C-alpha cells in the first residue's frame, strides 16, 4: 500500500534554459532504449532525451552542464534579442524596460518608476525598433568618441575617425590610418567595458599587434584593463544576441 512512495515525478514535456540572456525552450523525451542522457539539436529544436526511470533532477543537472555546448550550436536567430517594446535592454549595463510612448513624434528618452529604469520610445510599432537603434548608435558614438580621444591623449597618438559597425563577433578594429571601428553594442555594456575596448583599439595605434608590448601599452593608459577584458569574456555573447533592425523602415 506504500507503492506510491516509490513513484517518481514524471519529467515535464518541455523545460526552459536561459542562454545568453534568452529563454530557450527544450523538448523533453523519455526513451526506453536510451542508456544515458542525451542533448541533441534536431530540426524541430533542442531535445533532451532521458532513459526510462531517470530522475528529473539528474536530467536538469546534465542539461546545465551542457548549456554552453547548446548555446554554441543554436542558430543566432534562436538567441536573438530584439529592440522592441517589452524588452529589457541593458543600457550602459543597467537593464531598462523598453516602453512605447504612444506618441508618433519625439525622441527616445530615459526615465524610470518604482519598477526601475525605462527607455521611452516614440513612433508607431513598425518604426520603434529603428528609432531605438538609431538612438543607441548615437549614444555609442558619443561615448566611444570621448573615450577614444581620452586614451589617444594619454598615449600621444591621434584618432582620425570613429565609426560604428554591427559585427557579429568583433568589438572593434583599428587601421594604421587612424580610423577605429567599434561595435554599436558596446553601449549595452557597463562603462568600464566600453572604456576597455576604446583603450584596446587606441593602443593599436602604438602597436599594431597583440604582443607583450601592445598589452603593456593598454595597461599604460588603462591600468585595470583586466576588469573590462574579463567582463567581455564572460558576458560578450549576451550583448551579441541583441539584433539591429534588419531593414530601414
Amino acid at each position: 500500500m506504500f507503492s506510491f512512495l516509490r513513484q517518481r515525478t514524471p519529467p515535464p514535456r518541455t523545460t526552459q534554459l536561459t542562454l545568453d540572456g534568452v529563454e530557450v525552450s527544450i523538448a523533453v523525451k523519455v526513451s526506453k532504449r536510451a542508456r544515458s542522457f542525451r542533448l541533441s539539436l534536431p530540426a524541430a529544436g533542442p531535445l533532451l532525451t532521458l532513459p526510462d526511470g531517470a530522475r528529473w533532477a539528474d536530467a536538469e543537472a546534465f542539461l546545465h552542464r551542457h548549456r554552453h555546448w547548446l548555446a554554441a550550436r543554436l542558430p543566432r536567430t534562436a538567441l536573438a534579442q530584439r529592440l522592441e517594446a517589452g524588452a529589457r535592454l541593458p543600457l550602459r549595463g543597467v537593464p531598462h524596460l523598453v516602453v512605447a510612448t504612444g506618441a508618433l513624434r519625439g525622441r527616445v528618452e530615459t526615465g524610470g518608476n518604482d519598477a526601475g529604469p525605462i527607455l521611452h520610445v516614440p513612433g508607431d510599432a513598425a518604426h520603434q525598433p529603428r528609432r531605438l537603434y538609431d538612438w543607441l548608435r548615437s549614444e555609442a558614438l558619443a561615448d566611444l568618441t570621448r573615450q577614444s580621444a581620452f586614451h589617444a591623449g594619454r598615449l600621444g597618438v591621434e584618432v582620425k575617425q570613429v565609426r560604428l559597425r554591427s559585427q557579429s563577433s568583433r568589438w572593434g578594429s583599428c587601421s594604421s590610418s587612424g580610423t577605429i571601428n567599434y561595435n554599436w553594442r558596446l553601449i549595452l555594456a557597463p562603462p568600464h567595458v566600453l572604456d576597455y575596448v576604446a583603450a584596446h583599439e587606441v593602443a593599436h595605434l602604438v602597436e599594431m599587434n597583440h604582443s607583450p608590448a601592445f598589452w603593456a601599452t593598454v595597461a599604460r593608459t588603462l591600468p585595470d584593463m583586466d576588469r573590462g577584458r574579463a567582463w567581455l569574456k564572460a558576458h560578450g555573447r549576451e550583448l551579441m544576441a541583441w539584433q539591429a533592425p534588419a531593414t530601414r523602415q
Side-chain angles (χ1 to χ4, degrees), residues 151 195-205 210 214-215 218 221:
H151 292 295
D195 192 33
Y196 160 70
V197 177
H200 181 119
E201 297 306 329
V202 171
H204 277 308
L205 295 175
H210 286 101
F214 164 77
W215 290 111
V218 180
T221 187

Side-chain angles (χ1 to χ4, degrees), residues 113-127:
N113 56 27
D114 293 341
I118 291 175
L119 276 173
H120 299 282
V121 184
D124 58 38
H127 294 160

Side-chain angles (χ1 to χ4, degrees), residues 20-191:
D20 294 344
V22 180
E23 287 289 323
V24 175
S25 181
I26 300 169
V28 178
K29 175 184 176 182
V30 176
S31 172
K32 293 183 178 180
R33 300 176 60 183
R35 294 292 179 265
S36 60
F37 298 113
R38 185 172 70 253
L39 184 59
S40 56
L41 194 57
L47 174 65
L48 175 62
T49 302
L50 286 63
D52 189 27
R55 295 197 318 154
W56 175 241
D58 294 336
E60 282 188 306
F62 172 86
L63 181 59
H64 279 271
R65 287 198 304 272
H66 292 80
R67 59 192 296 119
H68 297 298
W69 179 92
L70 182 59
R73 287 160 178 78
L74 276 175
R76 180 168 294 277
T77 53
L79 299 177
Q81 292 271 37
R82 307 198 183 282
L83 303 177
E84 59 189 10
R88 286 201 172 272
L89 183 76
L91 177 64
R92 296 184 177 93
V94 179
H96 284 64
L97 178 64
V98 179
V99 174
T101 65
L104 294 180
R105 299 183 180 278
R107 57 166 289 156
V108 176
E109 295 182 350
T110 59
N113 56 27
D114 293 341
I118 291 175
L119 276 173
H120 299 282
V121 184
D124 58 38
H127 294 160
Q128 286 166 12
R130 176 57 57 175
R131 291 273 189 99
L132 181 54
Y133 176 61
D134 289 345
W135 183 82
L136 289 169
R137 285 177 61 91
S138 176
E139 294 291 301
L141 185 60
D143 286 10
L144 287 162
T145 298
R146 182 189 66 243
Q147 292 311 114
S148 296
F150 173 78
H151 292 295
R154 289 173 65 89
L155 295 176
V157 295
E158 181 183 0
V159 176
K160 295 291 183 60
Q161 186 179 16
V162 172
R163 299 187 300 194
L164 297 182
R165 293 288 183 266
S166 189
Q167 304 100 317
S168 61
S169 60
R170 301 183 68 179
W171 295 111
S173 62
C174 178
S175 71
S176 58
S177 65
T179 296
I180 300 180
N181 295 312
Y182 291 108
N183 195 311
W184 69 270
R185 296 175 181 86
L186 286 168
I187 195 61
L188 308 180

